[in-house]
Amino acid sequence: GVRDVLFLYEENRCSMTYMYEYPEYLKIKLPKKTARRYPAYELYLYGEGNYAEENKNLLLTGIPVLFLPGNAGSYKQVRSLGSIALRKAEDVDFKYHFNFFSVNFNEELVALYGGSLQQQTKFVHECIKVILKLYRDREFAPTSVAIVGHSMGGLVARALLTLKNFKPGLINLLITQATPHVAPVMPLDKYLTDFYTAVNNHWILKAQDLRNLTTLSVAGGFRDYQVRSGLAFLPRLSQHDSALSVVSSAVPRAWASTDHLSIVWCKELILATIRAFFDLIDENTRQITEDPKKRMSVLHHHFVRHPAKTFEENPEAFTELTGAFMWIPVKASKWTYSVYNDSDGKYFTFPLVSHRKSYSHVYCENSMLDTSSWIYGCMNSNSSTCLEATDLSWRAELLPTTKVVILKLQDYTSLSHIVIQVPPTVGNKYTLGCEFFKQDSRTVQLPVTHLFSFGLSSSKILLNSTGLLYNVQLQHFNRIYQAFKIYIESHCQSLKERKPSVYRLHVPWSHEDSIIVAKVPSFTEISAKLHIAQPQNDSRVPELNIYSSSDCQYEVILKTSVLQVLGQIIRFHAGSLPVYVVSNIFLAYGGQLSTLMSTGQCSDFPLELVRTAKPYKVEPLISIVVFLQGFNWFREIWESLSLPEVDAAVLSSRDAWFPLVSLILFLFGTGIAYWSGVFFSTSLRLFSLLWLTLIRPTVLQKDNKLITPRRLCGVLSLALVSWTTCGAFAVFIIYLQYLFKPVHVFMTFAFYFQDSDCSKETSQNSSIYTVKNQSSTDSTVKATQSLSNSTTVAEAVNSLKMHVTILNLFTWIVLLNLPSLIYWLKNLRYSVRLDPDPCRSTAIILVCILEILMNSSTSEVKSSKLLKIAAKVPLPLSVAMLAFGRMHLYKVPHFVTLSLLLHVLCCIV
């Protein structure tokens, strides 16, 4: 599954964007108050060559666009947009041009640490004010700024509207690239999830206020494994019709999936964006139009359905077909025509009266991919010509090798003829074709194979007719965990050269189509899987559209792909894997405490994991709670107890969950926990052996005091470090300090084995020795020393096993807190204290706990009255961790801290 997500995707079909002149970034001077408040952030203006020189005095006359980089993103990523916009402006002699600004967020890791998102949002607000001031007193001064946000930059742009003093009119267009709008990819701290909640709630509750803001979200498709495309879809709101979400594989003239970084420089996507920007300009104001309907129609034109025509806001309804062209009537229901060096123009007319009774639709295609009109509907005609016509070219749709029109005859009762125009051509070779058909004859239903067929069975159809278009409906294909391989084999009657076939997987409820062009004849493999599950009130069915060659047969075979099903599980739920791993380690830790209580010995971690980590111990209870939450009475009781909603229920409401997912992830977590434990223990042994060559311990020491003045000073020092700098830093220091404990014990064992003859007793995990009464005093002393020595080793072995498990558990806590530590280190030159700090209070508690635990032994725990409680607590905490931690990873350390606190109490009480 991991391999499917990370490696098995389509090749990169994006072209690179290049600068024709050296890119320059002019730093914009900010007000002193703003610069002092945000010392790490900057604002730049992009330029090249002469254009950059002219703008150094900041006498700007263009249309302002602000680029916001994402997680660890650079302000220099604006260059692709800026450079292509400059070339486009040169094409129109700078009648219109854009000024591209970019914000430097110091490449902060805001996808992993949410504490600076609010700060970034406020800084962008200040930048917008500064940008608009630069145009003050200009003839066509802008009143708003267009924003392009990559990754988390798009979320920051949306968050502007949540600021109390922000005027919504300051932005009228927002384009986001691979932005996770729905939820964070890795919810590692509370500030990140709270920020998402605030932004999404505002956009839902204040939807009426957002009507004047047009938003486009572009997702990268399956190549983007960092942000899955389902997260990039804006919330569906019936009252909010000014938002559009598309996947790059469905964008006309791009038709390419992009990874998380290439979406910023993918030439095909950037061209579509810049063309849209220029089409959005109002000729009167020389700025982006204030009309939301026009903005939406322009975006729909360039990003959803391109008719192979230059955008026109109000195209003429009727036109006269002029020119000395030959009029040729066509009565056949199917017609093809090849054009090459045709010096005479022609009009081919298709009478509709004779076809209405026999056929329901007409399909026409044209392989000349220019932007001129080519198909008309005749409104008024005489015996040989058409006097008045409506331009049906606007009904066309552009595909990679052809442009096509599908018309339902019932919707065009006022038309008498269809007219195809073939203008004079010199040097161009292209083909046209039309056919009338019944929709039922070209629509085939193909039931998809069951999930548990494991690819052993298949669904198959053979398309025998000689049509130009087929629609294969994929029945029961509506869930994100379904994944199939579709094989299409084309057979042709003759070996003549043909136009390529186009296969399109069309998903009707979201703009996530994928298109493949295949030679004829050929054998083609298509992966079929969804980014968005079918909405509850939507009964439409995904289709495989085959734009075919007329004399070829097509065989379609569909099979379930087990690897891609696993890939979908990883794609949608990999972010919750740490919870499952920690939950498994937690269960093994509880098992070790139970064994210690019952036998007095601490078992090995791998053996205890195999014994205790059973999914039936945790999963059924969560499933029962999710089921009961469907009843109002239970939901009311749940809410009265102030309990948060179970994460599985939230995922189910998003159609991103089914029971087997949790089982698979639990088993995957068990495997990771097992091998990470083995690797961790082996690494400690190897490290201790290496260290043994430098340091030689002489005796196994045992310290009976858990708390000493020196250790108390250490705890207070680390608590001070946590409070004044960064909590994760204090956690990391105590982790390294704790790490030395088992290393030191391993070293002592190695040295002890070399210098004593007690290896037999140690290898048997300190079996109970029986010492017989000896008459000799020397023999009695010798035996007593051997018993004492072996008992010390037995306690040390038990303690070592427990320490290794706690360290293994604590390693994952350190990893979950690592992003805030990295963020703090990166911003250390601006501020010594991380504020806000997501783990400051937790860190202080953990420092106190671990300082005691690292000096504890199992002999103290065995005699504790609280051991029975401590041994039973990990199981309910594991259940709670899986119930509330899947979408809130930052809660995991809290559960671990609670259990370790009980362990500390066992050492004391």
Side-chain angles (χ1 to χ4, degrees):
V2 173
R3 179 172 170 267
D4 176 72
V5 172
L6 298 182
F7 304 108
L8 301 182
Y9 43 69
E10 67 177 68
E11 62 180 10
N12 189 0
R13 289 188 274 177
C14 283
S15 306
M16 177 62 78
T17 48
Y18 295 97
M19 283 75 251
Y20 290 91
E21 297 174 279
Y22 193 78
E24 295 183 37
Y25 305 90
L26 178 65
K27 188 175 178 179
I28 306 296
K29 189 176 180 180
L30 299 171
K32 289 182 180 179
K33 186 179 178 182
T34 304
R36 201 182 307 116
R37 188 181 297 171
Y38 310 101
Y41 302 157
E42 297 167 323
L43 178 65
Y44 288 89
L45 172 65
Y46 178 82
E48 296 178 18
N50 293 332
Y51 170 75
E53 288 293 324
E54 292 169 2
N55 285 336
K56 281 187 176 178
N57 56 8
L58 294 179
L59 298 175
L60 307 177
T61 57
I63 302 167
V65 180
L66 179 60
F67 175 79
L68 305 180
N71 178 57
S74 169
Y75 65 95
K76 294 182 179 181
Q77 289 173 312
V78 72
R79 60 183 175 267
S80 295
L81 284 164
S83 183
I84 289 183
L86 182 59
R87 302 282 86 81
K88 180 79 171 173
E90 288 174 351
D91 290 344
V92 296
D93 295 326
F94 282 92
K95 181 182 178 182
Y96 312 113
H97 71 279
F98 289 85
N99 302 127
F100 275 85
F101 297 85
S102 184
V103 173
N104 178 16
F105 284 135
N106 194 32
E107 300 184 8
E108 291 178 339
L109 299 171
V110 286
L112 304 177
Y113 169 73
S116 63
L117 283 168
Q118 195 67 26
Q119 191 177 13
Q120 286 191 1
T121 306
K122 291 176 180 177
F123 179 73
V124 172
H125 186 198
E126 297 299 322
C127 287
I128 292 173
K129 294 180 195 175
V130 171
I131 290 169
L132 292 177
K133 280 183 182 178
L134 295 175
Y135 295 87
R136 198 163 46 192
D137 302 327
R138 300 289 187 271
E139 184 181 357
F140 298 101
T143 58
S144 61
V145 175
I147 295 181
V148 178
H150 172 241
S151 188
M152 294 298 288
L155 188 71
V156 168
R158 287 180 63 210
L160 284 168
L161 296 155
T162 65
L163 298 177
K164 290 181 180 179
N165 56 346
F166 183 80
K167 298 176 182 177
L170 291 178
I171 53 173
N172 58 9
L173 177 66
L174 170 59
I175 297 177
T176 66
Q177 302 169 325
T179 296
H181 292 293
V182 177
V185 177
M186 294 287 286
L188 291 171
D189 66 62
K190 191 174 188 296
Y191 305 112
L192 190 59
T193 54
D194 287 352
F195 189 82
Y196 265 90
T197 303
V199 172
N200 286 329
N201 285 348
H202 182 88
W203 276 59
I204 292 171
L205 298 173
K206 304 287 185 180
Q208 295 290 345
D209 300 338
L210 303 177
R211 284 186 172 274
N212 290 325
L213 172 62
T214 303
T215 310
L216 169 69
S217 174
V218 183
F222 289 110
R223 278 187 64 86
D224 189 351
Y225 54 79
Q226 293 184 45
V227 176
R228 62 177 178 85
S229 296
L231 292 178
F233 277 68
L234 291 160
R236 289 191 186 94
L237 299 173
S238 57
Q239 69 271 31
H240 190 195
D241 56 358
S242 58
L244 180 64
S245 302
V246 298
V247 179
S248 60
S249 60
V251 174
R253 304 172 81 170
W255 298 299
S257 178
T258 63
D259 59 56
H260 197 62
L261 290 179
S262 68
I263 198 169
V264 174
W265 54 255
C266 178
K267 185 178 178 181
E268 290 75 9
L269 266 182
I270 300 299
L271 283 171
T273 306
I274 297 303
R275 289 181 187 123
F277 270 130
F278 276 85
D279 284 341
L280 285 166
I281 297 173
D282 188 327
E283 292 185 1
N284 297 321
T285 63
R286 301 288 183 92
Q287 296 294 325
I288 289 178
T289 178
E290 295 294 328
D291 182 2
K293 288 185 178 179
K294 181 183 176 181
R295 292 198 299 261
M296 206 63 194
S297 60
V298 168
L299 294 179
H300 199 276
H301 177 95
H302 288 283
F303 288 90
V304 178
R305 185 185 178 97
H306 198 295
K309 295 271 292 177
T310 304
F311 177 79
E312 293 180 27
E313 185 177 1
N314 296 305
E316 293 184 6
F318 304 104
T319 184
E320 292 183 8
L321 301 179
T322 57
F325 287 10
M326 185 185 303
W327 290 82
I328 304 173
V330 179
K331 295 183 178 180
S333 61
K334 184 177 178 181
W335 167 85
T336 56
Y337 185 74
S338 297
V339 183
Y340 182 63
N341 282 339
D342 200 339
S343 58
D344 299 324
K346 298 180 179 66
Y347 286 123
F348 292 92
T349 62
F350 299 82
L352 298 181
V353 177
S354 58
H355 294 301
R356 288 188 193 277
K357 293 181 180 179
S358 304
Y359 305 104
S360 62
H361 291 72
V362 60
Y363 166 84
C364 293
E365 61 183 16
N366 184 353
S367 63
M368 172 60 81
L369 303 182
D370 61 356
T371 58
S372 59
S373 296
W374 60 283
I375 181 169
Y376 302 90
C378 191
M379 310 284 292
N380 186 8
S381 63
N382 57 26
S383 57
S384 59
T385 62
C386 183
L387 303 177
E388 189 178 42
T390 180
D391 190 351
L392 296 177
S393 305
W394 292 104
R395 305 283 182 181
E397 182 175 13
L398 181 65
L399 296 174
T401 61
T402 186
K403 47 190 179 183
V404 302
V405 175
I406 303 174
L407 302 174
K408 188 176 181 180
L409 298 181
Q410 188 179 347
D411 296 338
Y412 297 91
T413 54
S414 60
L415 301 183
S416 61
H417 294 75
I418 296 290
V419 180
I420 302 291
Q421 179 183 4
V422 180
T425 55
V426 178
N428 290 325
K429 184 177 182 180
Y430 63 98
T431 60
L432 301 103
C434 281
E435 67 169 339
F436 291 86
F437 65 92
K438 278 188 175 180
Q439 188 175 21
D440 296 343
S441 65
R442 297 300 168 83
T443 303
V444 183
Q445 294 183 349
L446 179 66
V448 298
T449 50
H450 195 271
L451 179 66
F452 298 110
S453 65
F454 300 110
L456 300 176
S457 61
S458 63
S459 293
K460 184 188 299 185
I461 55 166
L462 184 64
L463 306 173
N464 282 316
S465 65
T466 57
L468 299 174
L469 172 70
Y470 301 100
N471 295 318
V472 180
Q473 293 184 343
L474 305 177
Q475 299 289 324
H476 315 300
F477 180 28
N478 49 22
R479 291 286 172 258
I480 55 98
Y481 51 80
Q482 293 176 296
F484 308 97
K485 283 186 177 179
I486 301 176
Y487 304 97
I488 305 176
E489 188 172 6
S490 55
H491 305 276
C492 301
Q493 296 175 0
S494 60
L495 298 176
K496 66 179 182 179
E497 184 181 353
R498 292 176 179 81
K499 67 178 181 66
S501 293
V502 177
Y503 308 133
R504 175 169 68 178
L505 183 63
H506 173 60
V507 182
W509 55 79
S510 60
H511 303 296
E512 55 175 283
D513 296 6
S514 56
I515 293 180
I516 292 178
V517 179
K519 294 180 180 179
V520 179
S522 66
F523 183 82
T524 307
E525 180 183 315
I526 300 173
S527 293
K529 46 198 174 188
L530 299 173
H531 296 292
I532 295 286
Q534 185 182 35
Q536 290 183 352
N537 299 325
D538 199 322
S539 59
R540 292 173 293 177
V541 180
E543 289 183 341
L544 176 65
N545 304 135
I546 300 177
Y547 301 91
S548 57
S549 295
S550 58
D551 60 342
C552 297
Q553 288 184 343
Y554 292 82
E555 185 179 28
V556 181
I557 302 172
L558 182 144
K559 291 183 177 181
T560 297
S561 173
V562 178
L563 290 181
Q564 291 189 53
V565 169
L566 293 174
Q568 286 291 83
I569 292 173
I570 294 298
R571 181 175 286 108
F572 279 78
H573 302 290
S576 60
L577 263 177
V579 184
Y580 286 92
V581 177
V582 176
S583 177
N584 275 278
I585 298 173
F586 222 34
L587 289 171
Y589 164 70
Q592 283 181 316
L593 289 177
S594 298
T595 308
L596 185 66
M597 181 177 63
S598 58
T599 66
Q601 303 293 323
C602 184
S603 57
D604 287 327
F605 172 77
L607 296 175
E608 203 59 54
L609 182 72
V610 171
R611 187 179 72 85
T612 58
K614 306 297 183 184
Y616 59 77
K617 292 183 177 181
V618 292
E619 291 299 334
L621 185 59
I622 298 173
S623 299
I624 290 169
V625 171
V626 172
F627 173 74
L628 290 175
Q629 281 192 331
F631 299 98
N632 291 330
W633 61 269
F634 185 82
R635 200 180 304 116
E636 289 172 3
I637 296 172
W638 191 267
E639 290 172 357
S640 66
L641 296 173
S642 300
L643 293 171
E645 193 171 4
V646 178
D647 289 348
V650 178
L651 291 168
S652 296
S653 66
R654 296 178 185 170
D655 296 315
W657 193 255
F658 71 110
L660 278 179
V661 165
S662 196
L663 176 62
I664 292 169
L665 291 174
F666 190 93
L667 296 175
F668 195 11
T670 306
I672 295 173
Y674 182 90
W675 289 109
S676 67
V678 171
F679 176 78
F680 185 71
S681 180
T682 306
S683 300
L684 287 176
R685 290 173 186 272
L686 291 174
F687 186 67
S688 62
L689 289 173
L690 289 173
W691 204 333
L692 187 61
T693 59
L694 302 174
I695 300 172
R696 292 266 174 177
T698 56
V699 66
L700 263 173
Q701 296 178 353
K702 184 180 179 184
D703 193 346
N704 292 321
K705 292 184 179 179
L706 291 174
I707 303 172
T708 62
R710 185 179 176 183
R711 290 167 188 167
L712 190 60
C713 288
V715 169
L716 292 175
S717 300
L718 286 176
L720 187 63
V721 167
S722 176
W723 188 260
T724 57
T725 58
C726 173
F729 183 50
V731 169
F732 188 67
I733 292 173
I734 195 71
Y735 172 73
L736 293 178
Q737 190 179 340
Y738 197 168
L739 204 60
F740 183 74
K741 175 74 175 182
V743 170
H744 176 72
V745 176
F746 276 129
M747 287 167 55
T748 307
F749 280 168
F751 186 76
Y752 176 74
F753 290 152
Q754 291 173 8
D755 294 343
S756 72
D757 59 352
C758 295
S759 58
K760 182 180 179 182
E761 291 89 339
T762 306
S763 65
Q764 293 175 352
N765 277 338
S766 46
S767 304
I768 299 174
Y769 288 85
T770 305
V771 182
K772 296 181 180 179
N773 293 325
Q774 304 288 336
S775 57
S776 171
T777 305
D778 292 340
S779 299
T780 305
V781 171
K782 202 170 183 179
T784 304
Q785 287 177 346
S786 176
L787 177 63
S788 176
N789 209 4
S790 62
T791 304
T792 303
V793 172
E795 288 180 8
V797 169
N798 286 331
S799 299
L800 178 63
K801 290 175 181 178
M802 186 60 70
H803 285 311
V804 170
T805 300
I806 293 173
L807 264 173
N808 190 11
L809 190 64
F810 195 57
T811 301
W812 287 91
I813 306 307
V814 171
L815 290 174
L816 290 174
N817 288 324
L818 203 57
S820 60
L821 175 61
I822 296 170
Y823 180 91
W824 173 74
L825 289 171
K826 196 170 183 180
N827 289 270
L828 200 54
R829 55 178 172 163
Y830 302 109
S831 176
V832 176
R833 191 173 195 260
L834 180 63
D835 191 27
D837 189 342
C839 57
R840 180 171 288 129
S841 55
T842 309
I844 294 172
I845 299 170
L846 280 172
V847 163
C848 299
I849 289 173
L850 293 176
E851 186 64 48
I852 296 173
L853 282 181
M854 75 172 69
N855 298 294
S856 67
S857 68
T858 52
S859 59
E860 298 149 350
V861 178
K862 277 190 289 187
S863 58
S864 174
K865 299 174 183 178
L866 297 175
L867 180 57
K868 191 173 183 180
I869 298 172
K872 290 183 178 180
V873 160
L875 177 58
L877 285 182
S878 292
V879 175
M881 198 184 297
L882 289 180
F884 305 115
R886 288 177 180 130
M887 297 173 62
H888 306 85
L889 293 178
Y890 61 87
K891 293 181 180 179
V892 172
H894 303 158
F895 295 114
V896 175
T897 303
L898 181 60
S899 185
L900 293 181
L901 184 61
L902 275 172
H903 194 130
V904 168
L905 291 175
C906 288
C907 298
I908 299 171
V909 180

